[in-house]
């Protein structure tokens, strides 16, 4: 005789290992004294279930509060699992990480160049033989951690300019510099930002054309016009002319 296992697919004589529900049919072969008999066939199926195994995730490098990176230094999350069965390993269970903003609909599959904000990073597996947690009887295939991207310091410096009595000041944008740009944003944002500072009250100096001879303090502040969206990723530190000698 022998056994045959059936499930959602065709039957097999091999003992199943994948998670799922199966039925068992015992076959007694025909002999001189007995007819061929099937036990567990038809309405009287002998069923059994192989439950998925639990994988326990380890979010590598995460603190109790999750992850925190400065803008421009955010890194993709690595997740390791324990609990593999039948000699399987990480290569047998695909893992996908997704970064979702807590305040907007923004979602990304990569952490590099994430804008400043609070996120949830979710690691999901796609193998029906495993689960990560069980909530109210339902197998969950994902686990999450908080992921924070904080602002990058950007130091903006103004240098002085010299004029002859009676002359007007030159365009201040040519006397500004900034240190701390990341992600190639110097080329994308700097000229526009400097132009706003120079023309929208971001550079304050008491000197006006015809003012008396002397030395005047030059002060930097946020311009009156809104900055480009990308500037929100920076914590801007202004250094006035007096700070630079």
């Amino acid at each position: 005789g022998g056994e045959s296992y059936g499930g959602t697919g065709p039957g097999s004589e091999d003992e199943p290992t994948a998670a799922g529900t199966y039925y068992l049919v015992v076959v007694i072969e025909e002999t001189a004294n007995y007819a061929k008999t099937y036990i567990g066939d038809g309405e009287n199926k002998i069923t059994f279930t192989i439950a998925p195994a639990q994988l326990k995730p380890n979010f590598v490098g995460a603190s109790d509060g999750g992850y925190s990176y400065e803008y421009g230094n955010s890194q993709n999350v690595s997740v390791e699992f324990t609990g593999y069965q039948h000699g399987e390993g990480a290569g047998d269970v695909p893992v996908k990480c997704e970064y979702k903003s807590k305040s907007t609909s923004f979602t990304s599959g990569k952490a590099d160049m994430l804008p400043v904000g609070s996120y949830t990073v979710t690691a999901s597996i796609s193998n029906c033989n495993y689960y990560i947690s069980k909530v109210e009887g339902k197998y969950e295939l994902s686990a999450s951690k908080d992921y924070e991207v904080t602002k990058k310091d950007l130091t903006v410096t103004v240098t002085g300019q010299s004029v002859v009595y009676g002359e007007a000041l030159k365009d201040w944008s040519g006397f500004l510099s900034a240190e701390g740009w990341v992600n190639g944003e110097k080329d994308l944002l700097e000229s526009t930002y400097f132009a706003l500072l120079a023309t929208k009250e971001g550079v304050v100096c008491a000197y006006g054309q015809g003012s008396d001879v002397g030395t005047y303090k030059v002060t930097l502040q946020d311009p009156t016009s809104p900055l480009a969206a990308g500037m929100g990723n920076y914590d801007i530190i202004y250094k006035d002319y007096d700070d630079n000698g």
Side-chain angles (χ1 to χ4, degrees), residues 71 113 154 156 176 178 180-197 226-234 236:
Y71 177 66
M113 296 185 68
L154 181 72
V156 181
L176 298 170
W181 296 110
V182 292
N183 295 336
E185 290 178 336
K186 175 181 175 69
D187 294 336
L188 295 173
L189 299 173
E190 186 173 86
S191 60
T192 301
Y193 172 54
F194 284 176
L196 280 177
L197 286 177
L227 299 177
M231 294 299 299
N233 294 314
Y234 295 92
I236 302 173

Side-chain angles (χ1 to χ4, degrees), residues 152-157 177 193 220 234-239:
K152 174 78 168 62
D153 285 351
L154 181 72
T155 302
V156 181
T157 302
S177 62
Y193 172 54
L220 296 178
Y234 295 92
D235 189 6
I236 302 173
I237 301 169
Y238 292 118
K239 297 188 70 176

Side-chain angles (χ1 to χ4, degrees), residues 84-85 87-93 130:
Y84 294 107
Q85 303 295 315
E88 294 180 332
D92 301 295
V93 182
Y130 297 96

Side-chain angles (χ1 to χ4, degrees), residues 156-160 218 239-245:
V156 181
T157 302
V158 59
T159 57
V218 184
K239 297 188 70 176
D240 300 335
Y241 175 59
D242 279 358
D243 295 336
N244 302 293

Side-chain angles (χ1 to χ4, degrees), residues 102-142:
K102 292 184 177 182
S103 58
T104 70
S105 60
F106 178 82
T107 301
S108 176
K110 295 182 178 180
D112 55 329
M113 296 185 68
L114 283 176
V116 167
S118 297
Y119 300 84
T120 299
V121 55
T122 300
S124 303
I125 60 173
S126 54
N127 187 312
C128 63
N129 292 322
Y130 297 96
Y131 72 99
I132 294 178
S133 62
K134 198 172 183 180
V135 180
E136 297 181 351
K138 181 182 178 181
Y139 291 116
E140 299 292 336
L141 303 181
S142 63

